[in-house]
Amino acid sequence: MTVKYTEDHEYVRQNGSDGTVGISSYAQEQLGDIVFVELPAVGNSYKKGDEIAVVESVKAASEIYAPVDCTVTEINEVLNGDPGLINTDPMGEGWLVKVTIDDESALAGLMDEAAYQSHIA
Amino acid sequence: MSMNRQGRPSSPDSAVSNTSPGNAALLPDEPLLFEIGDTDHSGVDLPDVEISGSRLGGHARKTPLDLPGLTEPEAMRHYVRLSRLNYSIDSGMYPLGSCTMKHNPRLNEKMARLPGFADIHPLQPQSTVQGAIELMQQLADWLMTLTNTSGVALSPKAGAHGELCGMMAIKAAHEAHGESHRKIVLVPESAHGTNPATAAFLGYQVRSIPAAEDGTVRVAEVEAALGPDVAAIMLTNPNTCGLFEPEVKAIADAVHAAGAYFYCDGANFNAIMGVVRPGDLGIDAMHINLHKTFSTPHGGGGPGSGPVVLSEALAPFAPVPFIRRDGDALKLVEHADGEALGRLTAFHGQMGMYVRALTYMLSHGADGLAQAARDAVLNANYIKAQLSGTFSMPFNSQPCMHEVLCDDAFLKGTGVSTLDFAKAMIDEGLHPMTMYFPLVVHGAMLIEPTESESRQTLDRFVQTMLGLAARAKAGEAEAFTAAPLTAPRRRLDETQAARQPKLKWEPETTPLQAAE
Amino acid sequence: MRYLPHSDADRQDMLAVIGAGSIDDLFAPVPADLMLRQHLDLPAHQPEFAVEAHMRKLAGKNRAGADGPFFVGAGAYRHHVPATVDHLIQRSEWLTAYTPYQPEISQGTLQMLFEFQTQVANLTGMEVANASMYDGSTATAEAVLMARRLTRREKIIISGGLHPQYRDVVDTYVGLGENLVHLSASPEGQGDIADHIDDKTAAIVVQTPDFYGHLRDVKTLAEAAHAHGALLIVVVTEIISLGLIEAPGALGADIVVAEGQSIGNALNFGGPYVGLLATRQQFIRQMPGRVCGETVDAEGQRGFVLTLSTREQHIRREKATSNICTNSGLCALAFSIHMSLLGDAGLRRLARLNHQRASALADALEKVPGVTLLNKTFFNEMTIRIGMPAADVIDQLAARNILAGVPVSRLRPDDPSLTGLIVLAATELTTDDDIASLVAALTEVLS
């Protein structure tokens, strides 16, 4: 499993053609307490850069973009009752959606952990 | 203002950890209506008449109302006690940038309550309300003269509604001229959030215009963004940084040359009324907030009123109703003939606000309105001059208009944020300035004193602000992050409010009831 | 100048602090040729008594409701407002407060809005309400947009019984086209909405009591809408009716919008009024307008804040749910105070009294030769058909100092079949003498 990041602070955790998408720890810190998430419908397909979800803090609503071309296979329903999971465990329990990645090679265009750390530094 | 000062610690050393007890006697907590009222109590005496029910056709109410009542003394006390938990312009300075919290004259209120204005129906025959229509015409004439424009749509109910009206007029004009392909609206980064919201609502794409280093918009940037697909620019002038746009006329000319229209957000008209006419700057549409510039009360968030003045090019597209002379009589035209864009509200708009605004205009006169604008600008610059050594001001290259913009650079390293600073102002008996707007500077503090404040009040404000800045720099961050300490409430948990929205009162359920 | 605190000496002292020679210097960024060099051609400032005289003269040219028999309704109603209401809303702390963006020093306004929201929700039978809208007509347009967002469908069906100006406002907001279906006017109360609902329908919009005064069968319409996955928007222009007739929420409405003017607010020639919007808890993220919620402060004390503000335009900018940033705070306060004074018992009595007065009016009108009453059901408003153009008759009666109602042709000049119709309302203020005067004058004009 590898984790890749976008410049807009989404991450995708890859396992073959399956991916788990969420926002980085840095992003949740910047947003502050998350109070609401708007998740897509299972089965929806997205192109890289399409708006796939919205997370809201008290003061801001942020669109989450698809990191690669993908189709949603599962959404994290737990977030509807406990959006704070994105703050407490963004890379784990606070994931947003699981997807099937159209083309695994597209991940090569994203940042790895080291590159992302220097991106936000 | 004195509301919160009684219990305030005289020195920061005597830090208090609890809401100051010194306020408790005069600022009592008040339970909710639903906790004190009773469905058997009523503050009105009405005959209990019998009805047959046959004309209700089986639609009679069966579900409970659950509306507690209060007798008159109970109601008086409930609402008076609640009112004392509010700050207000009558009790202290309200330096909210872009909000123009000026004095609300009471003559306005008295006039609005004359039965000839308050007790007339919008649909009674027009022959019986000629005075009301004449008042609307007089208000329209004042607004057009002050702005040098050709038309006015009075009916919009607030500023954002006026914006919608003005942009609809622009859209209608483009459609009438076969220019419907224009899909882009230019909006500077510093604009009010309503501007892009309004443009998007009408199906326009928003193209953002960056501000120059000095906080103003350059005609070159506008020209670069203009094209055959641009419908309009939405520009605030004076802008949201409190600056007059020096190139506004050139921007208007460029916009017109490209076949687009100039929508001006009139939120800041108070700085220039009677001094500069927006029509002379080349605007095509501008809403005027009667609740800012013309002193109608804010009422804790409305009602507002947002008439829109229109250039000759846009005037034919004004919504109904509008006024037309019909011999000796005045006629309110209520149905779209010609190119009118439609109807934005039932009836004729905010008559109660028209009465107040015209009363204010007549009280001031042309000379007084210009003096008010000049004093508003004087007051802002007076504050700016005295804060400028201490507070960081990102755009300091020209005099400000009616408001002063600071950023949070002066707080760097103190551990005090703009929010903390604002909350500490509350403990000093002041309402905070506008925070975090405009978005173009970091940690914005936007201060608008208006013309209503005396020199003494301004001096006290300046001293308080300088004192707070000194304390922040002296390492007293904790006093700021804990603030407010002397208000009716400490900081409120907005996260909880948004995560588990509780939007109405529910009776407490005991565990036993819940088990059932 | 009584509203401006500075003397000329003050101004000079302040300019010295600023380091400017004159106030004109502060306007240096304004191109010189754009500065006005003399005052505009408008009157100069005047003493308070002179302004008052000017305004009284204008007011004196209007025929006030209290000046004689009055039967005008059609979306705005002449009711009694207790003196307490107007006294309280003129208190400084209510009248001159800003929007409660600093909750620590705005708990009065916020708690009041929380109470208002609860009153509106209970009255309409809905789970939640917002902190008010501009008025009933704009609330209706916003409800239509909300229904489209919720269903992700476009088609809206507007009942023929919706107030014509509300219909016009929806047209202007939404834009005419195939996705906006207007049913023909229904002065007899006929219902034909159910047949038009299909699987593309976002919502149907139904007013009850409708523009012509008929009480509509909300439950059947809700079932018809829900069978197709569409929402039911119920519009109420006479909010006092809910003291006597069933709450739309109890009958299946998904969004209830209303004009709240009748409670706490004077006629004011059409504004300011107060729009009400109530809906289901599950829809709150798509609900437009401000909303107040309960929370706690840093010491755990109960308090109130504006919440769900990420829906609003100052946060979401071009992605906001609507462009509205003002509510109708002071009118909502007046509504809430009056509603508290009424309470359950008072509102029921007031509603019964309105219905009883309207019944007396209907009975009297039915006896006038040449008048046909169209209503089998009504609350406090009804429609009559006469054999003459109604607008002329209304003018003739106005000349006799009787404001006899609204000719439907004033609002629907496009439909000749409505020319002979008058909508009349009665309220608790309508006396037997008023009704007798109307009947006598109408009999004379029609003969």
Side-chain angles (χ1 to χ4, degrees):
Chain A
M1 287 213 288
T2 53
V3 179
K4 291 292 189 89
Y5 296 87
T6 69
E7 291 187 357
D8 299 314
H9 313 291
E10 293 91 8
Y11 70 80
V12 53
R13 187 186 303 276
Q14 182 208 2
N15 189 0
S17 65
D18 293 336
T20 303
V21 176
I23 63 170
S24 71
S25 187
Y26 172 82
Q28 68 80 17
E29 246 173 65
Q30 293 296 307
L31 287 170
D33 291 344
I34 306 294
V35 299
F36 181 68
V37 237
E38 197 179 308
L39 296 170
V42 170
N44 283 6
S45 293
Y46 296 91
K47 295 284 173 203
K48 177 180 164 74
D50 286 352
E51 179 183 320
I52 195 167
V54 178
V55 299
E56 292 184 13
S57 65
V58 171
K59 298 291 179 196
S62 306
E63 289 80 32
I64 306 302
Y65 304 113
V68 287
D69 297 1
C70 61
T71 301
V72 176
T73 56
E74 193 182 341
I75 57 174
N76 189 356
E77 307 261 12
V78 182
L79 295 179
N80 289 327
D82 189 5
L85 277 179
I86 297 174
N87 295 111
T88 53
D89 192 10
M91 307 290 292
E93 296 288 301
W95 60 276
L96 297 170
V97 294
K98 296 196 173 168
V99 299
T100 305
I101 299 166
D102 287 7
D103 175 8
E104 291 167 43
S105 66
L107 286 165
L110 302 180
M111 286 177 278
D112 61 15
E113 183 74 39
Y116 181 67
Q117 289 305 329
S118 62
H119 172 66
I120 59 178
Chain B
M1 89 142 219
S2 60
M3 180 167 86
N4 290 324
R5 295 188 70 88
Q6 286 97 336
R8 190 168 65 81
S10 53
S11 84
D13 298 333
S14 61
V16 283
S17 63
N18 219 322
T19 302
S20 170
N23 295 315
L26 290 173
L27 286 176
D29 257 10
E30 177 65 8
L32 283 162
L33 163 64
F34 306 91
E35 295 159 346
I36 53 173
D38 190 298
T39 51
D40 293 334
H41 283 205
S42 184
V44 294
D45 290 320
L46 291 166
D48 193 5
V49 296
E50 292 291 325
I51 55 165
S52 73
S54 62
R55 277 151 153 168
L56 296 177
H59 296 291
R61 184 160 186 142
K62 297 179 190 75
T63 52
L65 279 162
D66 285 334
L67 293 167
L70 301 172
T71 57
E72 186 171 313
E74 292 173 306
M76 187 63 79
R77 197 157 288 164
H78 180 63
Y79 290 100
V80 168
R81 286 161 75 111
L82 277 184
S83 77
R84 298 176 71 148
L85 303 176
N86 279 354
Y87 195 89
S88 66
I89 185 67
D90 283 350
S91 62
M93 180 177 172
Y94 236 118
L96 276 173
S98 133
C99 299
T100 312
M101 290 296 287
K102 63 169 70 178
H103 171 62
N104 301 148
R106 287 314 194 277
L107 179 63
N108 301 358
E109 297 303 312
K110 186 179 178 188
M111 294 301 96
R113 285 166 171 80
L114 293 174
F117 297 135
D119 190 22
I120 54 174
H121 191 288
L123 296 178
Q124 66 188 67
Q126 292 195 9
S127 59
T128 66
V129 287
Q130 283 292 299
I133 304 174
E134 193 177 338
L135 181 141
M136 291 168 70
Q137 183 62 53
Q138 288 182 9
L139 177 70
D141 288 341
W142 274 81
L143 292 173
M144 287 188 289
T145 303
L146 284 166
T147 54
N148 192 25
T149 49
S150 304
V152 56
L154 287 178
S155 67
K157 297 240 157 192
H161 207 217
E163 245 177 73
L164 186 64
C165 173
M167 290 304 290
M168 279 181 166
I170 287 171
K171 195 174 184 188
H174 280 313
E175 277 167 10
H177 302 145
E179 298 274 315
S180 308
H181 58 276
R182 293 177 179 268
K183 293 290 182 200
I184 309 279
V185 169
L186 309 182
V187 181
E189 287 168 344
S190 60
H192 291 107
T194 49
N195 294 171
T198 300
F201 179 82
L202 293 175
Y204 287 115
Q205 282 168 263
V206 174
R207 187 178 290 166
S208 196
I209 305 285
E213 294 234 321
D214 66 357
T216 64
V217 178
R218 289 279 167 276
V219 65
E221 293 280 3
V222 175
E223 279 170 342
L226 281 167
D229 55 348
V230 173
I233 188 168
M234 298 181 82
L235 194 68
T236 309
N237 187 42
N239 70 22
T240 58
C241 302
L243 305 173
F244 192 89
E245 291 284 356
E247 298 187 9
V248 60
K249 185 71 174 67
I251 290 170
D253 292 344
V255 165
H256 291 152
Y261 294 102
F262 177 4
Y263 186 88
C264 184
D265 185 323
N268 295 337
F269 188 50
N270 200 50
I272 58 170
M273 62 173 174
V275 180
V276 180
R277 296 184 301 183
D280 295 342
L281 308 178
I283 66 125
D284 292 296
M286 182 178 93
H287 72 265
I288 294 172
N289 299 291
L290 298 184
H291 51 284
K292 295 180 181 177
T293 316
F294 296 105
S295 80
T296 74
H298 274 72
S305 181
V308 180
V309 291
L310 298 164
S311 64
E312 207 174 343
L314 291 184
F317 301 97
V320 292
F322 49 81
I323 301 165
R324 198 171 273 164
R325 273 195 198 284
D326 187 13
D328 287 341
L330 290 168
K331 187 170 187 276
L332 263 177
V333 178
E334 295 176 294
H335 293 277
D337 52 356
E339 297 174 304
L341 67 82
R343 170 177 284 280
L344 282 163
T345 174
F347 312 129
H348 322 308
Q350 308 284 62
M351 177 66 172
M353 302 296 125
Y354 306 158
V355 178
R356 291 171 175 87
L358 185 65
T359 301
Y360 176 84
M361 290 170 176
L362 291 167
S363 294
H364 271 281
D367 53 337
L369 291 178
Q371 189 63 56
R374 294 162 68 85
D375 282 357
V377 170
L378 175 71
N379 286 358
N381 279 284
Y382 184 69
I383 289 173
K384 181 175 179 236
Q386 295 178 85
L387 296 187
S388 64
T390 308
F391 285 65
S392 43
M393 296 179 185
F395 309 125
N396 214 357
S397 61
Q398 66 181 59
C400 64
M401 290 282 106
H402 64 308
E403 55 194 359
V404 192
L405 177 63
C406 306
D407 64 19
D408 61 1
F410 77 102
L411 292 172
K412 199 170 180 190
T414 61
V416 175
S417 68
T418 291
L419 178 72
D420 298 330
F421 197 93
K423 297 301 183 191
M425 288 169 71
I426 292 175
D427 280 333
E428 300 294 327
L430 281 170
H431 193 283
M433 67 270 134
T434 294
M435 305 177 289
Y436 300 105
F437 178 84
L439 305 174
V440 288
V441 303
H442 198 269
M445 303 181 182
L446 190 62
I447 301 164
E448 179 181 1
T450 83
E451 71 277 12
S452 301
E453 300 305 334
S454 69
R455 188 181 174 194
Q456 285 167 326
T457 304
L458 297 173
D459 285 340
R460 272 205 306 276
F461 174 77
V462 165
Q463 288 316 310
T464 304
M465 295 295 274
L466 292 175
L468 284 173
R471 288 174 57 192
K473 289 177 181 180
E476 293 179 28
E478 272 177 33
F480 289 80
T481 52
L485 292 163
T486 61
R489 283 290 179 280
R490 298 285 300 277
R491 285 196 212 182
L492 290 135
D493 187 343
E494 297 186 56
T495 301
Q496 178 184 323
R499 277 187 181 162
Q500 290 118 24
K502 189 174 175 192
L503 309 183
K504 85 172 178 187
W505 181 82
E506 304 278 3
E508 297 279 335
T509 45
T510 64
L512 190 64
Q513 285 173 314
E516 289 166 4
Chain C
M1 207 150 300
R2 61 187 179 273
Y3 303 144
L4 301 177
H6 300 327
S7 65
D8 281 337
D10 291 330
R11 293 186 182 104
Q12 287 310 318
D13 290 347
M14 292 167 72
L15 284 165
V17 171
I18 296 167
S22 69
I23 295 179
D24 270 359
D25 290 352
L26 302 176
F27 284 90
V30 181
D33 58 327
L34 297 174
M35 289 282 289
L36 293 171
R37 294 298 161 197
Q38 57 190 33
H39 290 309
L40 293 165
D41 185 20
L42 292 165
H45 69 278
Q46 299 178 58
E48 193 167 307
F49 59 79
V51 177
E52 186 166 335
H54 179 102
M55 300 305 280
R56 281 188 186 279
K57 196 169 161 198
L58 288 172
K61 294 181 186 176
N62 304 321
R63 193 283 209 185
D67 292 347
F70 185 94
F71 299 91
V72 193
Y77 303 89
R78 185 165 183 272
H79 292 287
H80 177 72
V81 178
T84 307
V85 175
D86 199 44
H87 169 80
L88 282 169
I89 69 169
Q90 287 195 76
R91 270 189 72 93
S92 294
E93 302 91 332
W94 294 120
L95 186 76
T96 76
Y98 191 69
T99 306
Y101 287 139
Q102 296 290 343
E104 299 89 348
I105 45 174
S106 310
Q107 285 297 303
T109 294
L110 287 160
Q111 181 172 330
M112 179 279 289
L113 290 175
F114 186 79
E115 294 176 355
F116 170 84
Q117 288 171 186
T118 308
Q119 288 173 320
V120 172
N122 292 359
L123 188 56
T124 55
M126 302 302 288
E127 289 166 347
V128 290
N130 73 9
S132 80
M133 314 284 287
Y134 299 145
D135 70 353
S137 67
T138 52
T140 302
E142 290 283 354
V144 164
L145 299 171
M146 174 179 163
R148 282 186 164 182
R149 291 191 299 269
L150 283 166
T151 59
R152 297 175 193 264
R153 298 180 185 179
E154 294 292 308
K155 184 175 162 186
I156 302 290
I157 301 171
I158 308 276
S159 150
L162 181 67
H163 191 294
Q165 290 191 337
Y166 282 43
R167 187 193 71 160
D168 294 345
V169 174
V170 172
D171 289 354
T172 306
Y173 265 65
V174 173
L176 292 169
E178 60 184 24
N179 285 320
L180 194 56
V181 178
H182 292 297
L183 304 184
S184 51
S186 51
E188 319 270 356
Q190 67 273 30
D192 55 350
I193 302 170
D195 303 340
H196 293 80
I197 307 171
D198 59 23
D199 291 342
K200 290 178 178 159
T201 305
I204 59 175
V205 182
V206 181
Q207 180 178 328
T208 189
D210 74 9
F211 176 68
Y212 302 96
H214 310 283
L215 306 182
R216 305 301 294 261
D217 186 356
V218 173
K219 190 154 186 272
T220 304
L221 291 166
E223 285 162 3
H226 295 160
H228 291 275
L231 302 179
L232 172 63
I233 298 170
V234 171
V235 179
V236 180
T237 60
E238 173 50 292
I239 193 67
I240 288 173
S241 67
L242 294 182
L244 186 57
I245 62 179
E246 188 54 280
L251 302 169
D254 298 290
I255 306 172
V256 180
V257 287
E259 174 52 69
Q261 171 267 330
S262 283
I263 297 182
N265 289 277
L267 286 170
N268 286 323
F269 200 48
Y273 290 170
V274 51
L276 316 180
L277 190 148
T279 188
R280 301 177 186 277
Q281 177 82 24
Q282 70 199 82
F283 297 156
I284 57 174
R285 299 275 167 182
Q286 293 298 338
M287 181 169 69
R290 285 188 190 133
V291 54
C292 171
E294 184 183 319
T295 187
V296 293
D297 77 355
E299 289 170 11
Q301 290 199 84
R302 178 171 69 185
F304 303 91
V305 291
L306 292 181
T307 189
L308 304 181
S309 54
T310 44
R311 301 162 306 129
E312 291 187 71
Q313 35 71 29
H314 65 273
I315 309 273
R316 296 213 72 181
R317 295 172 76 87
E318 62 262 37
K319 300 208 167 179
T321 53
S322 87
N323 90 327
I324 287 178
C325 68
T326 320
N327 54 347
S328 198
L330 204 67
C331 299
L333 172 68
F335 177 100
S336 196
I337 297 172
H338 191 182
M339 186 61 88
S340 305
L341 285 165
L342 287 166
D344 215 295
L347 182 66
R348 286 177 195 275
R349 282 187 183 203
L350 179 60
R352 281 203 299 276
L353 186 54
N354 271 260
H355 185 63
Q356 187 238 33
R357 295 284 74 210
S359 298
L361 174 64
D363 291 344
L365 286 169
E366 278 189 306
K367 295 189 185 107
V368 177
V371 169
T372 311
L373 178 71
L374 301 189
N375 298 64
K376 289 193 181 65
T377 62
F378 58 79
F379 169 64
N380 70 350
E381 192 160 30
M382 65 208 69
T383 303
I384 58 171
R385 176 170 277 132
I386 53 176
M388 298 167 63
D392 295 346
V393 171
I394 291 296
D395 284 345
Q396 288 181 52
L397 293 169
R400 296 162 195 239
N401 197 32
I402 295 169
L403 300 185
V406 179
V408 175
S409 59
R410 177 163 175 185
L411 302 171
R412 291 293 309 269
D414 55 319
D415 188 341
S417 73
L418 307 173
T419 308
L421 304 182
I422 301 173
V423 174
L424 302 93
T427 71
E428 74 279 7
L429 297 175
T430 308
T431 65
D432 287 339
D433 284 351
D434 292 338
I435 294 172
S437 302
L438 172 69
V439 164
L442 189 59
T443 305
E444 218 176 286
V445 169
L446 290 180
S447 64

